[in-house]
Amino acid sequence: FGYDPSGADDEDDEDDDDARRTRREAAAAIARDRDAVCDELASRLLDVARCHLRLARGGSLAAGGRIVGKDGKRRDAWVPARVDAASARACVSACDAALSMRRTRAGYYLRGKARTQLCQFRAAEDDLRTALATRETSVGGESNPVGDVASEREVKLALRALKAAA
């Protein structure tokens, strides 16, 4: 409204270019920070999902057959049977939240295993097949955190267990 670009000085153009460059750099920095926060939050949600999945199976499938604390004492003795389904549902919810931020093989794998325990066999098979098809890629040039990736072998074993359970 009333701005005439032909009458503007060259100094104003340089200032505008500097301001635009600064805004672009700031936007890029904000995007990098947002990606880093999403990656970290998705990783933490998958950690929560792993804990709930471990509770859902009552420690029976964990290494050694039980949940053991750092002090070597059993920690699964207090887990009542009704916690299994609630923990499996909590695992599915945590995976849903993590997958809404980052689509990872580990997220689909954990959700598929939890759905298997909830006897949601079709949804579990879809998740496990998606996990098998998902290729892990790094975001922003960084590698995925250790333990965030479910191996192809683990997913295939989970698919076999699903077929046996169904």
Side-chain angles (χ1 to χ4, degrees), residues 46-62:
L46 289 178
D47 289 343
V48 168
R50 283 184 189 92
C51 291
H52 281 293
L53 186 61
R54 196 166 187 192
L55 281 176
R57 51 185 188 207
S60 62
L61 299 177

Side-chain angles (χ1 to χ4, degrees), residues 84-111:
D84 293 350
S87 292
R89 282 192 294 275
C91 178
V92 169
S93 296
C95 288
D96 286 341
L99 288 170
S100 70
M101 287 181 268
R102 293 286 179 250
R103 305 268 184 217
T104 61
R105 178 182 287 177
Y108 287 114
Y109 169 73
L110 291 170
R111 189 168 72 177

Side-chain angles (χ1 to χ4, degrees), residues 19-63:
R20 271 188 245 127
R21 187 173 325 126
T22 302
R23 283 193 300 271
R24 273 195 307 265
E25 290 171 357
I30 289 171
R32 280 192 306 272
D33 290 345
R34 186 179 322 122
D35 285 344
V37 167
C38 282
D39 287 342
E40 185 68 23
L41 183 57
S43 177
R44 295 299 168 239
L45 283 167
L46 289 178
D47 289 343
V48 168
R50 283 184 189 92
C51 291
H52 281 293
L53 186 61
R54 196 166 187 192
L55 281 176
R57 51 185 188 207
S60 62
L61 299 177

Side-chain angles (χ1 to χ4, degrees), residues 109-131:
Y109 169 73
L110 291 170
R111 189 168 72 177
K113 288 196 57 109
R115 284 181 170 171
T116 299
Q117 289 189 343
L118 292 171
C119 298
Q120 299 172 351
F121 299 123
R122 286 185 188 215
E125 184 178 7
D126 290 344
D127 283 339
L128 291 172
R129 293 207 182 276
T130 303

